[in-house]
Each structure stands twice: as structure tokens, then as C-alpha cells.
Amino acid sequence: MGWEDGVRRVEPYVPGEQPKRTDIIKLNTNECPYPPAPEVKAALAELDYETFRLYPDPDCGELVGALADYYGVSKKQVFVGIGSDDVLAMAFLTFFGTGKPILFPDITYSFYDVWANLFRIPYEQIPLDDAFEIRTQDYIGRDCGGIVIANPNAPTGVLLPLSELEKIISANRDVVVIVDEAYIDFGGESALPLLEKYDNLMVVQTFSKSRAMAGMRIGFALGNEKLISYLSDCRFSFNSYPMNRPALAAGAAAIKNDRYFKETCGRIIDTRERVKEELKELGFSFTDSMTNFVFARHEKVPAKEIFGMLKEKGIYVRYFAKPRIDDHLRITIGTDAEMDRLMAVLREYLVG
């Protein structure tokens, strides 16, 4: 028997490629094409670097307080972490220990099955229908250990109406239902109003997309006080200083400028809708995305071929070599200039 016999082997999540070149049009990881709010720059400039020798606030009070004020909840209903990935991983570890399988779609954020395997949580992947939509009835009347739904879903971009989502939550009161709202600010209706009705609901959001702060790694969850207290206990058993000082200061500052936040989301939505029309003219079909990306397939040219062509031209999009979606490309919405360049290259290749 060797030391490798005791190793926990998992197949890790593979993030989108991060090119080293600076001349790339990067439309493969759903980052915001615009900078964070000006208040973020000011907050970081005011930081005293000498304080970096000290541990950060373990309670993350400055950021937690800003989020509680913004969303109109108690501080005890807020949990923050190193990106929503950290928040979600802690939630899997905290809430899914019954031994019963948790449920999530077969086509969704591909970290869910990684966490389930890492923490040895049984799971069942429920197939989306042919339109890449969740069938609500598939999550009702099942003996399960929990449910995770990304809404809008990724990589499909499809939004489940709040009324349908509530049916799933209300039918599963004996388990925790996690709603992953990484893209909710681009056109969806948040499940946050349901927190008052359902103590088994946890809503997770991130600063990485709509708040343009992927590089700071800030995520958060909102839920009832007891649920958040269990999550915090688990986190403090894992890492008692989860967030660094710059992230706490920058996150709190970003919340202050709601006008900038909404204007940025609006710009991305406007560009997305224009790009949909132009892609349609070039023979692409796609779901009605409510995110900052478009999930598209071409009627004649394979997605893998278009992916390779674009990469040669210095334009990165995301291609998934997976069943059911290997004929699709996930295209992040960039600036108008970046999308104009993308469309010009596509037009030249597909039309001539």
C-alpha cells in the first residue's frame, strides 16, 4: 500500500482560458467589459498598506453591513466569501449531508458536480428539455437531499420564471434550495423577495459579473438567520479569515454607486440584444439569454470550427466539448467595439 492509496481523486473544474496576450478580445469567461464603479478606485487608493500586516476582520463587517443595507435585510442574513464559488462550496459542505442525492440540471454550471464529488455528496442531474429549459415537475415529489438551480442558467442563459422557481422551493421545504443568481442583474427577477416566506431558501450572487470585480473575488449569500448561522459555523471551521482587506473595502465601495451599477448593466443588455439580431442574420440560433452572454449554434458550420477560427483571429469564446451542447458557443457580451469586431470576423468567414 502506497501513499497514493489515501489520495482523494477528483476531476477538477476547468475555467475558461486566461490568455497572457493583451491584444486578445476576451469573450470566454463572462467578465464585465467595463471597469468597476469609481468609488472602488477611491477606496483602494485610500488603503493604508501598513495595515496589511494585520488580519482582516473575520466577520467582514464593512462588506456585510453594506450588503445588508442595500438589500434591506439583517446583517445576520448575509454571508460573504471569496467569490460565489467559495460561498457555494461552503453551502454544499454545510447543507448536503443527508446521504440523499441532491438535484441539479444536466446542463448547468459545471462546478456543481465537482463539489458533489469532492465532498462525496450523491447527486442526480435532471435533464433540461429540448429547449434547454427546466421542467418544474422534475423537481417536485422527489426524495432528495437538496436542490441547486442557477437562474438564469449557465451556459444556456435561460431564465426560469420566479413563479415556477417558487413551486420548486415550496415543494421541497424539508431540504435547502440554493438559487445561484450570478447573472440575475442582466434581466431576471431575483428570488430574494421569497426569503421572507421560505426558511429553506438561500440566494447566492457575485460581484464578478454585473459589478465588474471578478479579480477581487467577492461573492455572497442571503438567507434566513438560522441558515446563515449554520453556514458561518462551517466556514469558520474551514477558514476564519476568508476575505482580504482590499476586497472588503472595494466590495463595500462598489455598493455605494447604484446608478453606475444599473447603467453598466443596461449597456450590456442593450449590446446583447443588438448582437442577438446580428447573429440571427448570420444563421445562428440561440436561447433567449437573460445573462451577459449568448449561447448560440450555427445552422451549418460546427461550433468547434468557428471556435478555432475565432481563436486564430485573436477572439476567445467558450466551447464545451460535452454531450448536448458541443454544437454551441458561449459568447460573452463585450464592449460595442469588441462585438463589432466579432461580428465582422464572423461575417467574413460565414458570408465572405
Side-chain angles (χ1 to χ4, degrees):
M1 180 175 178
W3 64 266
E4 288 184 272
D5 294 327
V7 173
R8 179 171 297 191
R9 293 180 173 89
V10 293
E11 185 173 338
Y13 170 77
V14 179
E17 186 175 353
Q18 295 288 348
K20 305 302 181 186
R21 293 165 50 189
T22 58
D23 58 341
I24 296 295
I25 294 179
K26 192 170 178 296
L27 307 176
N28 66 329
T29 50
N30 299 340
E31 294 144 321
C32 182
Y34 305 109
E39 285 79 0
V40 173
K41 183 177 181 179
L44 293 176
E46 293 171 3
L47 280 177
D48 180 0
Y49 86 97
E50 291 188 9
T51 63
F52 294 174
R53 65 183 177 82
L54 303 172
Y55 284 113
D57 175 12
D59 295 321
C60 306
E62 182 180 12
L63 178 57
V64 166
L67 286 166
D69 290 343
Y70 184 82
Y71 289 103
V73 299
S74 160
K75 293 179 182 179
K76 293 182 179 180
Q77 291 181 264
V78 182
F79 177 93
V80 298
I82 309 168
S84 59
D85 288 341
D86 178 47
V87 175
L88 288 162
M90 285 295 100
F92 272 57
L93 193 58
T94 304
F95 300 118
F96 297 152
T98 66
K100 296 180 181 180
I102 62 171
L103 310 178
F104 49 82
D106 64 333
I107 301 172
T108 190
Y109 187 31
S110 52
F111 227 141
Y112 297 158
D113 61 316
V114 172
W115 288 318
N117 287 323
L118 177 63
F119 299 135
R120 295 176 179 172
I121 300 167
Y123 63 94
E124 184 177 349
Q125 294 173 293
I126 310 298
L128 299 176
D129 67 17
D130 291 339
F132 294 140
E133 295 183 356
I134 287 174
R135 291 177 291 222
T136 305
Q137 64 270 21
D138 290 346
Y139 295 83
I140 294 176
R142 306 287 291 267
D143 185 22
C144 69
I147 295 173
V148 186
I149 292 177
N151 198 42
N153 197 13
T156 64
V158 176
L159 178 74
L160 182 67
L162 189 59
S163 58
E164 293 300 302
L165 187 61
E166 183 172 7
K167 291 178 184 177
I168 294 173
I169 300 166
S170 64
N172 292 277
R173 296 301 299 271
D174 56 343
V175 298
V176 172
V177 178
I178 297 174
V179 181
D180 182 355
E181 294 187 339
Y183 300 98
I184 198 65
D185 297 318
F186 299 109
E189 186 178 3
S190 175
L192 289 174
L194 299 179
L195 290 177
E196 294 184 7
K197 291 177 64 176
Y198 302 101
D199 63 357
N200 63 318
L201 170 63
M202 188 177 88
V203 178
V204 180
Q205 294 190 16
T206 178
F207 281 53
S208 296
K209 316 300 182 184
S210 55
R211 293 195 183 275
M213 295 178 68
M216 295 303 290
R217 311 307 299 127
I218 302 172
F220 63 96
L222 301 177
N224 81 82
E225 293 186 8
K226 181 180 288 187
L227 183 149
I228 295 299
S229 71
Y230 287 137
L231 188 59
S232 296
D233 288 345
C234 191
R235 192 269 301 281
F236 281 122
S237 301
F238 189 85
N239 181 1
S240 56
Y241 298 101
M243 303 193 68
N244 62 51
R245 287 174 175 270
L248 291 173
I255 296 290
K256 295 177 181 177
N257 195 335
D258 196 47
R259 178 178 177 182
Y260 181 88
F261 162 65
K262 290 177 178 175
E263 286 178 351
T264 299
C265 291
R267 292 172 71 182
I268 292 170
I269 291 169
D270 290 344
T271 303
R272 180 191 70 202
E273 295 307 305
R274 172 178 70 85
V275 166
K276 285 181 182 178
E277 294 302 315
E278 295 185 16
L279 286 172
K280 192 180 301 181
E281 292 173 3
L282 292 178
F284 285 91
S285 59
F286 39 82
T287 58
D288 186 21
S289 175
M290 289 292 110
T291 62
N292 67 337
F293 60 82
V294 177
F295 192 59
R297 67 180 297 273
H298 195 268
E299 58 189 23
K300 296 180 180 178
V301 184
K304 189 174 182 180
E305 178 182 332
I306 297 174
F307 168 78
M309 179 275 297
L310 289 174
K311 192 170 184 179
E312 288 182 2
K313 298 285 188 179
I315 302 174
Y316 282 43
V317 298
R318 193 78 190 267
Y319 171 70
F320 299 92
K322 294 183 176 182
R324 297 189 69 190
I325 61 173
D326 59 358
D327 57 348
H328 285 73
L329 296 173
R330 194 193 68 189
I331 305 169
T332 301
I333 300 302
T335 64
D336 282 320
E338 289 173 332
M339 303 314 289
D340 288 345
R341 173 61 181 161
L342 168 71
M343 298 311 303
V345 171
L346 287 174
R347 196 171 290 112
E348 180 181 2
Y349 188 76
L350 297 171
V351 180

